[in-house]
PDB file of all heavy atoms in Angstrom:
ATOM      1  N   ALA A   1     -44.486  36.488 107.148  1.00  0.00           N
ATOM      2  CA  ALA A   1     -43.543  37.546 106.825  1.00  0.00           C
ATOM      3  C   ALA A   1     -43.567  37.888 105.297  1.00  0.00           C
ATOM      4  O   ALA A   1     -43.408  39.014 104.928  1.00  0.00           O
ATOM      5  CB  ALA A   1     -42.159  37.107 107.267  1.00  0.00           C
ATOM      6  N   GLY A   2     -43.775  36.847 104.515  1.00  0.00           N
ATOM      7  CA  GLY A   2     -43.834  37.098 103.033  1.00  0.00           C
ATOM      8  C   GLY A   2     -45.005  37.947 102.678  1.00  0.00           C
ATOM      9  O   GLY A   2     -44.908  38.786 101.836  1.00  0.00           O
ATOM     10  N   LEU A   3     -46.154  37.668 103.270  1.00  0.00           N
ATOM     11  CA  LEU A   3     -47.337  38.380 102.940  1.00  0.00           C
ATOM     12  C   LEU A   3     -47.232  39.844 103.462  1.00  0.00           C
ATOM     13  O   LEU A   3     -47.646  40.783 102.739  1.00  0.00           O
ATOM     14  CB  LEU A   3     -48.568  37.723 103.601  1.00  0.00           C
ATOM     15  CG  LEU A   3     -49.951  38.284 103.228  1.00  0.00           C
ATOM     16  CD1 LEU A   3     -50.170  38.274 101.763  1.00  0.00           C
ATOM     17  CD2 LEU A   3     -51.035  37.470 103.954  1.00  0.00           C
ATOM     18  N   MET A   4     -46.686  40.001 104.642  1.00  0.00           N
ATOM     19  CA  MET A   4     -46.471  41.356 105.144  1.00  0.00           C
ATOM     20  C   MET A   4     -45.522  42.135 104.192  1.00  0.00           C
ATOM     21  O   MET A   4     -45.684  43.363 103.981  1.00  0.00           O
ATOM     22  CB  MET A   4     -45.882  41.337 106.603  1.00  0.00           C
ATOM     23  CG  MET A   4     -46.846  40.776 107.621  1.00  0.00           C
ATOM     24  SD  MET A   4     -48.249  41.888 107.975  1.00  0.00           S
ATOM     25  CE  MET A   4     -47.356  43.127 109.002  1.00  0.00           C
ATOM     26  N   GLY A   5     -44.513  41.449 103.693  1.00  0.00           N
ATOM     27  CA  GLY A   5     -43.618  42.118 102.733  1.00  0.00           C
ATOM     28  C   GLY A   5     -44.325  42.544 101.468  1.00  0.00           C
ATOM     29  O   GLY A   5     -44.047  43.657 100.930  1.00  0.00           O
ATOM     30  N   ARG A   6     -45.200  41.718 100.984  1.00  0.00           N
ATOM     31  CA  ARG A   6     -45.977  42.105  99.804  1.00  0.00           C
ATOM     32  C   ARG A   6     -46.818  43.274 100.027  1.00  0.00           C
ATOM     33  O   ARG A   6     -46.993  44.142  99.160  1.00  0.00           O
ATOM     34  CB  ARG A   6     -46.769  40.910  99.311  1.00  0.00           C
ATOM     35  CG  ARG A   6     -45.972  39.719  98.799  1.00  0.00           C
ATOM     36  CD  ARG A   6     -46.841  38.488  98.463  1.00  0.00           C
ATOM     37  NE  ARG A   6     -46.016  37.333  98.174  1.00  0.00           N
ATOM     38  CZ  ARG A   6     -45.449  37.069  97.050  1.00  0.00           C
ATOM     39  NH1 ARG A   6     -45.606  37.865  96.039  1.00  0.00           N
ATOM     40  NH2 ARG A   6     -44.710  35.937  96.952  1.00  0.00           N
ATOM     41  N   LEU A   7     -47.477  43.363 101.260  1.00  0.00           N
ATOM     42  CA  LEU A   7     -48.289  44.485 101.514  1.00  0.00           C
ATOM     43  C   LEU A   7     -47.471  45.751 101.571  1.00  0.00           C
ATOM     44  O   LEU A   7     -47.884  46.832 101.073  1.00  0.00           O
ATOM     45  CB  LEU A   7     -49.021  44.300 102.929  1.00  0.00           C
ATOM     46  CG  LEU A   7     -50.192  43.323 102.925  1.00  0.00           C
ATOM     47  CD1 LEU A   7     -50.632  43.107 104.394  1.00  0.00           C
ATOM     48  CD2 LEU A   7     -51.338  43.825 102.091  1.00  0.00           C
ATOM     49  N   ARG A   8     -46.325  45.696 102.177  1.00  0.00           N
ATOM     50  CA  ARG A   8     -45.417  46.888 102.260  1.00  0.00           C
ATOM     51  C   ARG A   8     -44.982  47.304 100.843  1.00  0.00           C
ATOM     52  O   ARG A   8     -44.825  48.490 100.592  1.00  0.00           O
ATOM     53  CB  ARG A   8     -44.228  46.619 103.159  1.00  0.00           C
ATOM     54  CG  ARG A   8     -44.628  46.444 104.637  1.00  0.00           C
ATOM     55  CD  ARG A   8     -43.417  46.360 105.541  1.00  0.00           C
ATOM     56  NE  ARG A   8     -43.809  46.284 106.951  1.00  0.00           N
ATOM     57  CZ  ARG A   8     -43.882  45.190 107.652  1.00  0.00           C
ATOM     58  NH1 ARG A   8     -43.501  43.990 107.153  1.00  0.00           N
ATOM     59  NH2 ARG A   8     -44.303  45.265 108.931  1.00  0.00           N
ATOM     60  N   HIS A   9     -44.731  46.330  99.976  1.00  0.00           N
ATOM     61  CA  HIS A   9     -44.341  46.644  98.587  1.00  0.00           C
ATOM     62  C   HIS A   9     -45.450  47.390  97.855  1.00  0.00           C
ATOM     63  O   HIS A   9     -45.142  48.369  97.130  1.00  0.00           O
ATOM     64  CB  HIS A   9     -43.995  45.341  97.851  1.00  0.00           C
ATOM     65  CG  HIS A   9     -43.781  45.567  96.401  1.00  0.00           C
ATOM     66  ND1 HIS A   9     -42.573  46.085  95.955  1.00  0.00           N
ATOM     67  CD2 HIS A   9     -44.511  45.274  95.295  1.00  0.00           C
ATOM     68  CE1 HIS A   9     -42.647  46.166  94.589  1.00  0.00           C
ATOM     69  NE2 HIS A   9     -43.805  45.713  94.211  1.00  0.00           N
ATOM     70  N   HIS A  10     -46.672  46.965  98.034  1.00  0.00           N
ATOM     71  CA  HIS A  10     -47.790  47.583  97.282  1.00  0.00           C
ATOM     72  C   HIS A  10     -48.349  48.783  97.965  1.00  0.00           C
ATOM     73  O   HIS A  10     -49.089  49.544  97.339  1.00  0.00           O
ATOM     74  CB  HIS A  10     -48.920  46.520  97.125  1.00  0.00           C
ATOM     75  CG  HIS A  10     -48.578  45.435  96.211  1.00  0.00           C
ATOM     76  ND1 HIS A  10     -48.319  45.606  94.807  1.00  0.00           N
ATOM     77  CD2 HIS A  10     -48.302  44.104  96.414  1.00  0.00           C
ATOM     78  CE1 HIS A  10     -48.031  44.469  94.244  1.00  0.00           C
ATOM     79  NE2 HIS A  10     -47.966  43.531  95.181  1.00  0.00           N
ATOM     80  N   LEU A  11     -48.048  49.051  99.221  1.00  0.00           N
ATOM     81  CA  LEU A  11     -48.504  50.263  99.904  1.00  0.00           C
ATOM     82  C   LEU A  11     -47.259  50.931 100.546  1.00  0.00           C
ATOM     83  O   LEU A  11     -47.169  51.073 101.727  1.00  0.00           O
ATOM     84  CB  LEU A  11     -49.534  49.817 101.022  1.00  0.00           C
ATOM     85  CG  LEU A  11     -50.796  49.237 100.486  1.00  0.00           C
ATOM     86  CD1 LEU A  11     -51.615  48.562 101.620  1.00  0.00           C
ATOM     87  CD2 LEU A  11     -51.702  50.262  99.823  1.00  0.00           C
ATOM     88  N   PRO A  12     -46.336  51.438  99.761  1.00  0.00           N
ATOM     89  CA  PRO A  12     -45.085  51.911 100.281  1.00  0.00           C
ATOM     90  C   PRO A  12     -45.233  53.156 101.100  1.00  0.00           C
ATOM     91  O   PRO A  12     -44.292  53.508 101.931  1.00  0.00           O
ATOM     92  CB  PRO A  12     -44.217  52.158  99.004  1.00  0.00           C
ATOM     93  CG  PRO A  12     -45.224  52.320  97.925  1.00  0.00           C
ATOM     94  CD  PRO A  12     -46.414  51.459  98.268  1.00  0.00           C
ATOM     95  N   GLU A  13     -46.323  53.866 100.953  1.00  0.00           N
ATOM     96  CA  GLU A  13     -46.461  55.153 101.697  1.00  0.00           C
ATOM     97  C   GLU A  13     -47.027  54.996 103.085  1.00  0.00           C
ATOM     98  O   GLU A  13     -47.075  55.922 103.871  1.00  0.00           O
ATOM     99  CB  GLU A  13     -47.388  56.113 100.868  1.00  0.00           C
ATOM    100  CG  GLU A  13     -46.856  56.417  99.489  1.00  0.00           C
ATOM    101  CD  GLU A  13     -45.482  57.101  99.470  1.00  0.00           C
ATOM    102  OE1 GLU A  13     -45.298  57.949 100.314  1.00  0.00           O
ATOM    103  OE2 GLU A  13     -44.665  56.716  98.690  1.00  0.00           O
ATOM    104  N   LEU A  14     -47.450  53.776 103.404  1.00  0.00           N
ATOM    105  CA  LEU A  14     -48.159  53.566 104.659  1.00  0.00           C
ATOM    106  C   LEU A  14     -47.214  52.912 105.694  1.00  0.00           C
ATOM    107  O   LEU A  14     -46.309  52.215 105.343  1.00  0.00           O
ATOM    108  CB  LEU A  14     -49.335  52.597 104.458  1.00  0.00           C
ATOM    109  CG  LEU A  14     -50.700  53.182 104.136  1.00  0.00           C
ATOM    110  CD1 LEU A  14     -50.643  53.827 102.798  1.00  0.00           C
ATOM    111  CD2 LEU A  14     -51.815  52.169 104.214  1.00  0.00           C
ATOM    112  N   GLU A  15     -47.498  53.269 106.928  1.00  0.00           N
ATOM    113  CA  GLU A  15     -46.846  52.513 108.047  1.00  0.00           C
ATOM    114  C   GLU A  15     -47.684  51.280 108.246  1.00  0.00           C
ATOM    115  O   GLU A  15     -48.867  51.292 108.509  1.00  0.00           O
ATOM    116  CB  GLU A  15     -46.908  53.382 109.341  1.00  0.00           C
ATOM    117  CG  GLU A  15     -46.033  54.608 109.279  1.00  0.00           C
ATOM    118  CD  GLU A  15     -44.574  54.271 109.289  1.00  0.00           C
ATOM    119  OE1 GLU A  15     -44.183  53.236 109.869  1.00  0.00           O
ATOM    120  OE2 GLU A  15     -43.725  55.054 108.760  1.00  0.00           O
ATOM    121  N   ILE A  16     -47.031  50.106 108.154  1.00  0.00           N
ATOM    122  CA  ILE A  16     -47.725  48.825 108.220  1.00  0.00           C
ATOM    123  C   ILE A  16     -47.133  48.034 109.364  1.00  0.00           C
ATOM    124  O   ILE A  16     -45.913  47.780 109.426  1.00  0.00           O
ATOM    125  CB  ILE A  16     -47.661  48.055 106.917  1.00  0.00           C
ATOM    126  CG1 ILE A  16     -48.289  48.854 105.790  1.00  0.00           C
ATOM    127  CG2 ILE A  16     -48.272  46.647 107.080  1.00  0.00           C
ATOM    128  CD1 ILE A  16     -48.175  48.194 104.373  1.00  0.00           C
ATOM    129  N   ALA A  17     -48.003  47.595 110.312  1.00  0.00           N
ATOM    130  CA  ALA A  17     -47.459  46.841 111.468  1.00  0.00           C
ATOM    131  C   ALA A  17     -48.570  45.966 112.073  1.00  0.00           C
ATOM    132  O   ALA A  17     -49.765  46.358 111.883  1.00  0.00           O
ATOM    133  CB  ALA A  17     -46.975  47.844 112.537  1.00  0.00           C
ATOM    134  N   PRO A  18     -48.221  44.929 112.753  1.00  0.00           N
ATOM    135  CA  PRO A  18     -49.311  44.176 113.453  1.00  0.00           C
ATOM    136  C   PRO A  18     -49.867  45.002 114.587  1.00  0.00           C
ATOM    137  O   PRO A  18     -49.299  45.936 115.087  1.00  0.00           O
ATOM    138  CB  PRO A  18     -48.478  42.985 114.034  1.00  0.00           C
ATOM    139  CG  PRO A  18     -47.215  42.951 113.273  1.00  0.00           C
ATOM    140  CD  PRO A  18     -46.903  44.369 112.836  1.00  0.00           C
ATOM    141  N   THR A  19     -51.109  44.589 114.965  1.00  0.00           N
ATOM    142  CA  THR A  19     -51.780  45.315 116.001  1.00  0.00           C
ATOM    143  C   THR A  19     -51.045  45.181 117.359  1.00  0.00           C
ATOM    144  O   THR A  19     -51.362  45.909 118.339  1.00  0.00           O
ATOM    145  CB  THR A  19     -53.218  44.796 116.168  1.00  0.00           C
ATOM    146  OG1 THR A  19     -53.169  43.378 116.399  1.00  0.00           O
ATOM    147  CG2 THR A  19     -54.056  45.129 114.984  1.00  0.00           C
ATOM    148  N   ASP A  20     -50.110  44.224 117.469  1.00  0.00           N
ATOM    149  CA  ASP A  20     -49.330  44.111 118.702  1.00  0.00           C
ATOM    150  C   ASP A  20     -48.765  45.430 119.116  1.00  0.00           C
ATOM    151  O   ASP A  20     -48.603  45.724 120.306  1.00  0.00           O
ATOM    152  CB  ASP A  20     -48.155  43.129 118.468  1.00  0.00           C
ATOM    153  CG  ASP A  20     -48.656  41.696 118.027  1.00  0.00           C
ATOM    154  OD1 ASP A  20     -49.197  41.646 116.953  1.00  0.00           O
ATOM    155  OD2 ASP A  20     -48.355  40.738 118.761  1.00  0.00           O
ATOM    156  N   GLU A  21     -48.311  46.229 118.104  1.00  0.00           N
ATOM    157  CA  GLU A  21     -47.669  47.483 118.409  1.00  0.00           C
ATOM    158  C   GLU A  21     -48.640  48.541 118.983  1.00  0.00           C
ATOM    159  O   GLU A  21     -48.221  49.547 119.470  1.00  0.00           O
ATOM    160  CB  GLU A  21     -47.007  48.086 117.164  1.00  0.00           C
ATOM    161  CG  GLU A  21     -45.889  47.165 116.624  1.00  0.00           C
ATOM    162  CD  GLU A  21     -45.045  47.765 115.569  1.00  0.00           C
ATOM    163  OE1 GLU A  21     -45.181  49.005 115.345  1.00  0.00           O
ATOM    164  OE2 GLU A  21     -44.260  47.052 114.894  1.00  0.00           O
ATOM    165  N   PHE A  22     -49.934  48.199 118.968  1.00  0.00           N
ATOM    166  CA  PHE A  22     -50.961  49.082 119.540  1.00  0.00           C
ATOM    167  C   PHE A  22     -51.697  48.400 120.723  1.00  0.00           C
ATOM    168  O   PHE A  22     -52.796  48.711 121.050  1.00  0.00           O
ATOM    169  CB  PHE A  22     -51.960  49.540 118.497  1.00  0.00           C
ATOM    170  CG  PHE A  22     -51.400  50.622 117.627  1.00  0.00           C
ATOM    171  CD1 PHE A  22     -50.441  50.316 116.641  1.00  0.00           C
ATOM    172  CD2 PHE A  22     -51.751  51.946 117.772  1.00  0.00           C
ATOM    173  CE1 PHE A  22     -49.911  51.331 115.858  1.00  0.00           C
ATOM    174  CE2 PHE A  22     -51.250  52.898 116.993  1.00  0.00           C
ATOM    175  CZ  PHE A  22     -50.301  52.625 115.998  1.00  0.00           C
ATOM    176  N   GLY A  23     -51.031  47.367 121.301  1.00  0.00           N
ATOM    177  CA  GLY A  23     -51.512  46.820 122.512  1.00  0.00           C
ATOM    178  C   GLY A  23     -52.342  45.562 122.502  1.00  0.00           C
ATOM    179  O   GLY A  23     -52.769  45.063 123.525  1.00  0.00           O
ATOM    180  N   LEU A  24     -52.609  45.091 121.270  1.00  0.00           N
ATOM    181  CA  LEU A  24     -53.465  43.918 121.182  1.00  0.00           C
ATOM    182  C   LEU A  24     -52.835  42.910 120.223  1.00  0.00           C
ATOM    183  O   LEU A  24     -52.726  43.180 118.993  1.00  0.00           O
ATOM    184  CB  LEU A  24     -54.931  44.236 120.725  1.00  0.00           C
ATOM    185  CG  LEU A  24     -55.972  43.203 120.926  1.00  0.00           C
ATOM    186  CD1 LEU A  24     -56.110  42.770 122.352  1.00  0.00           C
ATOM    187  CD2 LEU A  24     -57.342  43.684 120.374  1.00  0.00           C
ATOM    188  N   PRO A  25     -52.428  41.699 120.698  1.00  0.00           N
ATOM    189  CA  PRO A  25     -51.747  40.779 119.804  1.00  0.00           C
ATOM    190  C   PRO A  25     -52.533  40.378 118.618  1.00  0.00           C
ATOM    191  O   PRO A  25     -53.790  40.029 118.744  1.00  0.00           O
ATOM    192  CB  PRO A  25     -51.522  39.521 120.767  1.00  0.00           C
ATOM    193  CG  PRO A  25     -51.532  40.104 122.178  1.00  0.00           C
ATOM    194  CD  PRO A  25     -52.537  41.297 122.143  1.00  0.00           C
ATOM    195  N   ALA A  26     -51.963  40.464 117.473  1.00  0.00           N
ATOM    196  CA  ALA A  26     -52.635  40.175 116.239  1.00  0.00           C
ATOM    197  C   ALA A  26     -53.341  38.803 116.179  1.00  0.00           C
ATOM    198  O   ALA A  26     -54.402  38.657 115.634  1.00  0.00           O
ATOM    199  CB  ALA A  26     -51.639  40.319 115.068  1.00  0.00           C
ATOM    200  N   ARG A  27     -52.672  37.889 116.887  1.00  0.00           N
ATOM    201  CA  ARG A  27     -53.164  36.465 116.876  1.00  0.00           C
ATOM    202  C   ARG A  27     -54.552  36.393 117.560  1.00  0.00           C
ATOM    203  O   ARG A  27     -55.315  35.476 117.259  1.00  0.00           O
ATOM    204  CB  ARG A  27     -52.135  35.627 117.659  1.00  0.00           C
ATOM    205  CG  ARG A  27     -52.548  34.221 118.066  1.00  0.00           C
ATOM    206  CD  ARG A  27     -52.640  33.319 116.849  1.00  0.00           C
ATOM    207  NE  ARG A  27     -52.946  31.954 117.273  1.00  0.00           N
ATOM    208  CZ  ARG A  27     -54.113  31.486 117.630  1.00  0.00           C
ATOM    209  NH1 ARG A  27     -55.168  32.322 117.565  1.00  0.00           N
ATOM    210  NH2 ARG A  27     -54.298  30.205 117.964  1.00  0.00           N
ATOM    211  N   TRP A  28     -54.837  37.290 118.496  1.00  0.00           N
ATOM    212  CA  TRP A  28     -56.031  37.144 119.337  1.00  0.00           C
ATOM    213  C   TRP A  28     -57.120  38.244 119.146  1.00  0.00           C
ATOM    214  O   TRP A  28     -58.110  38.273 119.849  1.00  0.00           O
ATOM    215  CB  TRP A  28     -55.638  37.079 120.802  1.00  0.00           C
ATOM    216  CG  TRP A  28     -54.658  35.965 121.084  1.00  0.00           C
ATOM    217  CD1 TRP A  28     -53.392  36.019 121.274  1.00  0.00           C
ATOM    218  CD2 TRP A  28     -55.031  34.551 121.095  1.00  0.00           C
ATOM    219  NE1 TRP A  28     -52.806  34.757 121.456  1.00  0.00           N
ATOM    220  CE2 TRP A  28     -53.847  33.824 121.358  1.00  0.00           C
ATOM    221  CE3 TRP A  28     -56.258  33.838 121.003  1.00  0.00           C
ATOM    222  CZ2 TRP A  28     -53.801  32.449 121.523  1.00  0.00           C
ATOM    223  CZ3 TRP A  28     -56.164  32.462 121.103  1.00  0.00           C
ATOM    224  CH2 TRP A  28     -54.995  31.794 121.375  1.00  0.00           C
ATOM    225  N   VAL A  29     -56.909  39.096 118.148  1.00  0.00           N
ATOM    226  CA  VAL A  29     -57.871  40.200 117.976  1.00  0.00           C
ATOM    227  C   VAL A  29     -59.271  39.715 117.657  1.00  0.00           C
ATOM    228  O   VAL A  29     -60.263  40.175 118.255  1.00  0.00           O
ATOM    229  CB  VAL A  29     -57.396  41.166 116.884  1.00  0.00           C
ATOM    230  CG1 VAL A  29     -58.534  42.174 116.514  1.00  0.00           C
ATOM    231  CG2 VAL A  29     -56.150  41.895 117.271  1.00  0.00           C
ATOM    232  N   GLU A  30     -59.367  38.719 116.783  1.00  0.00           N
ATOM    233  CA  GLU A  30     -60.732  38.317 116.379  1.00  0.00           C
ATOM    234  C   GLU A  30     -61.505  37.582 117.543  1.00  0.00           C
ATOM    235  O   GLU A  30     -62.694  37.839 117.734  1.00  0.00           O
ATOM    236  CB  GLU A  30     -60.634  37.360 115.229  1.00  0.00           C
ATOM    237  CG  GLU A  30     -62.056  37.005 114.591  1.00  0.00           C
ATOM    238  CD  GLU A  30     -61.972  36.361 113.258  1.00  0.00           C
ATOM    239  OE1 GLU A  30     -60.979  35.745 112.910  1.00  0.00           O
ATOM    240  OE2 GLU A  30     -63.004  36.507 112.549  1.00  0.00           O
ATOM    241  N   VAL A  31     -60.833  36.875 118.383  1.00  0.00           N
ATOM    242  CA  VAL A  31     -61.522  36.218 119.466  1.00  0.00           C
ATOM    243  C   VAL A  31     -61.893  37.219 120.506  1.00  0.00           C
ATOM    244  O   VAL A  31     -62.969  37.111 121.171  1.00  0.00           O
ATOM    245  CB  VAL A  31     -60.751  35.036 120.033  1.00  0.00           C
ATOM    246  CG1 VAL A  31     -59.557  35.430 120.846  1.00  0.00           C
ATOM    247  CG2 VAL A  31     -61.638  34.113 120.923  1.00  0.00           C
ATOM    248  N   VAL A  32     -61.104  38.276 120.735  1.00  0.00           N
ATOM    249  CA  VAL A  32     -61.454  39.356 121.652  1.00  0.00           C
ATOM    250  C   VAL A  32     -62.715  40.076 121.136  1.00  0.00           C
ATOM    251  O   VAL A  32     -63.531  40.528 121.945  1.00  0.00           O
ATOM    252  CB  VAL A  32     -60.308  40.348 121.751  1.00  0.00           C
ATOM    253  CG1 VAL A  32     -60.674  41.602 122.514  1.00  0.00           C
ATOM    254  CG2 VAL A  32     -59.123  39.680 122.512  1.00  0.00           C
ATOM    255  N   LEU A  33     -62.922  40.121 119.829  1.00  0.00           N
ATOM    256  CA  LEU A  33     -64.062  40.711 119.257  1.00  0.00           C
ATOM    257  C   LEU A  33     -65.372  40.128 119.830  1.00  0.00           C
ATOM    258  O   LEU A  33     -66.295  40.842 120.198  1.00  0.00           O
ATOM    259  CB  LEU A  33     -64.084  40.527 117.758  1.00  0.00           C
ATOM    260  CG  LEU A  33     -65.398  40.793 117.006  1.00  0.00           C
ATOM    261  CD1 LEU A  33     -65.829  42.269 117.127  1.00  0.00           C
ATOM    262  CD2 LEU A  33     -65.330  40.337 115.540  1.00  0.00           C
ATOM    263  N   PHE A  34     -65.350  38.797 120.011  1.00  0.00           N
ATOM    264  CA  PHE A  34     -66.603  38.191 120.417  1.00  0.00           C
ATOM    265  C   PHE A  34     -66.845  38.352 121.938  1.00  0.00           C
ATOM    266  O   PHE A  34     -68.000  38.405 122.417  1.00  0.00           O
ATOM    267  CB  PHE A  34     -66.644  36.711 119.993  1.00  0.00           C
ATOM    268  CG  PHE A  34     -66.700  36.631 118.469  1.00  0.00           C
ATOM    269  CD1 PHE A  34     -65.607  36.247 117.741  1.00  0.00           C
ATOM    270  CD2 PHE A  34     -67.846  37.021 117.833  1.00  0.00           C
ATOM    271  CE1 PHE A  34     -65.637  36.285 116.396  1.00  0.00           C
ATOM    272  CE2 PHE A  34     -67.940  37.047 116.405  1.00  0.00           C
ATOM    273  CZ  PHE A  34     -66.811  36.661 115.736  1.00  0.00           C
ATOM    274  N   ALA A  35     -65.741  38.531 122.703  1.00  0.00           N
ATOM    275  CA  ALA A  35     -65.931  38.913 124.090  1.00  0.00           C
ATOM    276  C   ALA A  35     -66.527  40.327 124.111  1.00  0.00           C
ATOM    277  O   ALA A  35     -67.386  40.669 124.968  1.00  0.00           O
ATOM    278  CB  ALA A  35     -64.537  38.879 124.829  1.00  0.00           C
ATOM    279  N   TYR A  36     -66.037  41.228 123.273  1.00  0.00           N
ATOM    280  CA  TYR A  36     -66.525  42.632 123.172  1.00  0.00           C
ATOM    281  C   TYR A  36     -67.995  42.670 122.756  1.00  0.00           C
ATOM    282  O   TYR A  36     -68.813  43.388 123.375  1.00  0.00           O
ATOM    283  CB  TYR A  36     -65.692  43.417 122.219  1.00  0.00           C
ATOM    284  CG  TYR A  36     -66.134  44.785 121.953  1.00  0.00           C
ATOM    285  CD1 TYR A  36     -65.871  45.833 122.852  1.00  0.00           C
ATOM    286  CD2 TYR A  36     -66.829  45.128 120.784  1.00  0.00           C
ATOM    287  CE1 TYR A  36     -66.304  47.123 122.622  1.00  0.00           C
ATOM    288  CE2 TYR A  36     -67.272  46.427 120.506  1.00  0.00           C
ATOM    289  CZ  TYR A  36     -67.027  47.432 121.427  1.00  0.00           C
ATOM    290  OH  TYR A  36     -67.439  48.635 121.170  1.00  0.00           O
TER     291      TYR A  36
END
């Protein structure tokens, strides 16, 4: 949460969110890459 807050502070004009909000849990994106 702290790191996400820092990103939002330095990029205030952007919508910043985990990939969960687009259907793929952030925790598992990289391992899905190798299946892909």
Side-chain angles (χ1 to χ4, degrees):
L3 186 56
M4 292 290 284
R6 292 177 192 275
L7 286 173
R8 292 187 175 102
H9 172 76
H10 290 293
L11 296 166
E13 302 301 316
L14 271 67
E15 293 289 333
I16 299 177
T19 55
D20 302 61
E21 297 190 12
F22 282 75
L24 194 57
R27 168 71 174 80
W28 301 104
V29 172
E30 189 166 22
V31 72
V32 170
L33 165 67
F34 295 105
Y36 174 79

